[in-house]
Amino acid sequence: MKANVWMGRNRLEIQDVPDPQILNARDAIVRVTSTAICGSDLHLVDGYIPTVKKGDVLGHEFMGEVVEVGSGVRDLHVGDRVVVPFPIACGACFACEEGLYSVCENSNPNAGIAEKLMGHAPAGIFGYSHMLGGFPGGQAEYVRVPFADVGPIKVEDDLPDEKVLFLSDIFPTGFMGAEMCDIKPGQTIAIWGAGPVGQFAAASAFLLGADRVIVIDRFPYRLRRVQRTGAEVLNYEEVNVLDALRDMTGGRGPDACIDAVGMEAHHPTPAIYAYDRTKQAARLETERPYVLREAIMACRNGGVVSVIGVYGGFVDKFPMGTVMNRSLTIRTGQCHVQRYTEPLLQRIRGGEIDPSFVISHRMPLSEAPHAFELFKNKQDECNKVVLTP
C-alpha cells in the first residue's frame, strides 16, 4: 500500500509499505478514507521527538471503513464507517476505567523506553515514535487498529468525513483544553495559538459558557479564521501580550489560559528566541516554552493554565515560583479522546458546531510531502490539510 513515511529530519516520502495484517484478536483493519496533518506531526518532521525511525508511517488523525476484524472484536463489523481516536487504549486497565485513555497501561509495547524519559509510560499512539509504541500511522491507505472494540466510533453515512474526521484528535483536544479551565459564566479565557487546536479550543470555550475568548498568534490569516468563532485576537508581534491582557481584563488577567502551541513556540524578541532556539538545536533542551512561560505570567491569581500543546521532554527557565506563589493550577495531558467522541458527535449532529471550518486545503495522499511543506511554512494560508488516499 501507499503511505507517507519519515525518512529523516524534514524528509518525507510516499512509499510502498507492507499491507497491515490482523496480529491480535482485538485488531481491525481500516481502509482510510480521510486523514489529516496535525501540528504535532511537525515535531516529528523537525526531529524533536526521539525514537522516530526511517520508514515510519506518520499520521494519527484518520477515519475510514472497516475491512477486516479479529475474532475478539464484537461491536465492529466489515463495512462499518469509523473515526479512530489517536491514543490506543485497552479499555480495561486502571487508567482506562478512570477515563484516562491516553495513559492506558496496556497499549504501549515500548513502555520501557518512555519510562526512562518520563518516569511512567503513556499510551501507544498511531504514527508517533517508537517510544509511544511504534504503531504505523494513518497517512496511508490502510491501518491496523489495535483494541478496535474500544477506540473507533461508528458514524452513519449522513455526516460527511470532513464533519467528523477531527473527532480523532483536534476537536476533542481543543474541547478538553477548554474543559480543564473549569469555565464559569462571565469568565475570560486566553488562548495562545490560533492554529486548528486553538480554533477548536476557542469554539469549545464558548460552548462551555465563556463570556470572552482572546486568542494570541502572529499570522493574520489564522487570526481571521479564529475570529469566526467569536474570539477577540491579539497579534503578539504588534502588542505586548501581558500588557494587553491586563488592559482587557481590568488589570486582573484572564481567568484561565490555554497553551495550544507547545514545544516549538516562537518569540518576537530575537535575543529571547535565539536563546531557546540555540539550546533546542543543540539538544540541550527539547522545548521552546515561550508560550507556557507567558501563559503562566498572564493568568490571574488563583487561575488555571491548561496545556494541550505537545511537549516532549524538558523546559528551561520554568517560572515555578509564579505558579506556587500565585496559587495557579496547571492541568494538562494528551487528550483522552475516547471520553469525548460520543458527546462531541452529538454536538455536531445537533448543529452546535461544524468542525470542517478549520479546513483550508484538500489534497491527495500522494501529495503529502508537499502538503507538509505548505503547512509547516504557513504557505498559501494553509490552516489544515485533509488528505484522501
Side-chain angles (χ1 to χ4, degrees):
M1 68 172 183
K2 301 292 184 183
N4 186 38
V5 302
W6 189 89
M7 296 299 291
R9 287 189 63 192
N10 296 307
R11 286 184 56 211
L12 301 175
E13 294 180 9
I14 299 296
Q15 291 190 357
D16 290 314
V17 302
D19 291 341
Q21 297 180 345
I22 297 288
L23 301 180
N24 297 291
R26 295 173 68 186
D27 288 351
I29 305 297
V30 172
R31 180 182 65 82
V32 176
T33 56
S34 292
T35 184
I37 298 172
C38 181
S40 60
D41 288 332
L42 299 181
H43 308 322
L44 301 171
V45 174
D46 291 340
Y48 293 124
I49 301 294
T51 71
V52 184
K53 298 180 180 180
K54 185 177 292 187
D56 283 353
V57 179
L58 299 186
H60 56 268
E61 297 179 344
F62 64 95
M63 65 175 295
E65 178 188 354
V66 176
V67 295
E68 188 178 357
V69 295
S71 60
V73 178
R74 298 285 180 255
D75 56 351
L76 285 185
H77 302 90
V78 171
D80 284 344
R81 182 169 174 250
V82 294
V83 179
V84 182
F86 77 85
I88 301 167
C90 74
C93 67
F94 170 80
C96 288
E97 288 183 345
E98 293 292 313
L100 304 173
Y101 296 99
S102 71
V103 288
C104 171
E105 297 170 334
N106 292 324
S107 67
N108 186 349
N110 298 328
I113 301 175
E115 287 168 358
K116 291 178 181 178
L117 178 64
M118 301 181 183
H120 295 275
I125 293 178
F126 290 102
Y128 216 82
S129 84
H130 290 262
M131 177 176 67
L132 298 179
F135 294 97
Q139 292 170 11
E141 293 178 314
Y142 295 88
V143 183
R144 179 178 76 93
V145 178
F147 300 113
D149 50 342
V150 175
I153 180 173
K154 288 189 277 190
V155 180
E156 300 301 323
D157 291 339
D158 61 314
L159 291 173
D161 279 18
E162 292 184 355
K163 280 196 173 185
V164 294
L165 170 62
F166 304 126
L167 289 170
S168 60
D169 178 2
I170 56 173
F171 184 14
T173 295
F175 190 88
M176 187 173 109
E179 184 183 70
M180 289 191 296
C181 294
D182 285 340
I183 297 171
K184 298 176 178 61
Q187 288 193 331
T188 297
I189 311 300
I191 301 170
W192 278 256
V197 170
Q199 291 162 25
F200 278 123
S204 298
F206 283 121
L207 287 174
L208 292 172
D211 184 57
R212 299 174 70 194
V213 175
I214 304 166
V215 181
I216 300 102
D217 204 294
R218 65 178 172 137
F219 293 99
Y221 76 91
R222 302 209 310 185
L223 293 171
R224 289 194 302 270
R225 191 176 287 264
V226 80
Q227 281 180 306
R228 300 175 192 172
T229 68
E232 303 166 61
V233 299
L234 293 173
N235 186 326
Y236 67 78
E237 291 189 329
E238 298 175 356
V239 299
N240 181 293
V241 172
L242 295 179
D243 289 345
L245 289 174
R246 289 191 195 98
D247 290 344
M248 298 171 77
T249 58
R252 178 174 291 163
D255 296 287
C257 297
I258 299 175
D259 172 359
V261 177
M263 67 168 66
E264 292 191 73
H266 175 265
H267 196 281
T269 303
I272 296 175
Y273 181 72
Y275 171 82
D276 284 290
R277 184 69 184 86
T278 300
K279 292 193 71 172
Q280 190 183 46
R283 300 305 189 260
L284 297 175
E285 66 172 334
T286 55
E287 334 291 306
R288 298 197 297 268
Y290 313 118
V291 162
L292 183 58
R293 294 175 188 144
E294 191 166 74
I296 289 169
M297 299 300 288
C299 193
R300 70 158 168 84
N301 290 347
V304 174
V305 178
S306 170
V307 184
I308 52 175
V310 171
Y311 288 87
F314 302 95
V315 301
D316 195 5
K317 303 293 187 294
F318 183 80
M320 190 63 204
T322 299
V323 175
M324 185 270 170
N325 286 288
R326 296 207 292 113
S327 299
L328 300 181
T329 297
I330 296 178
R331 292 183 178 141
T332 187
Q334 290 280 8
C335 184
H336 310 297
V337 175
Q338 288 88 336
R339 186 198 299 173
Y340 298 100
T341 48
E342 186 59 42
L344 293 183
L345 177 60
Q346 295 312 311
R347 287 184 182 267
I348 295 170
R349 284 199 173 281
E352 295 180 62
I353 186 169
D354 178 355
S356 65
F357 80 92
V358 301
I359 300 171
S360 62
H361 290 66
R362 299 162 178 86
M363 303 172 71
L365 177 65
S366 60
E367 295 183 19
H370 175 56
F372 265 86
E373 287 297 314
L374 291 177
F375 187 51
K376 175 181 176 177
N377 297 312
K378 312 295 190 295
Q379 297 172 351
D380 194 30
E381 299 193 351
C382 186
N383 186 70
K384 186 69 175 180
V385 183
V386 172
L387 302 169
T388 52

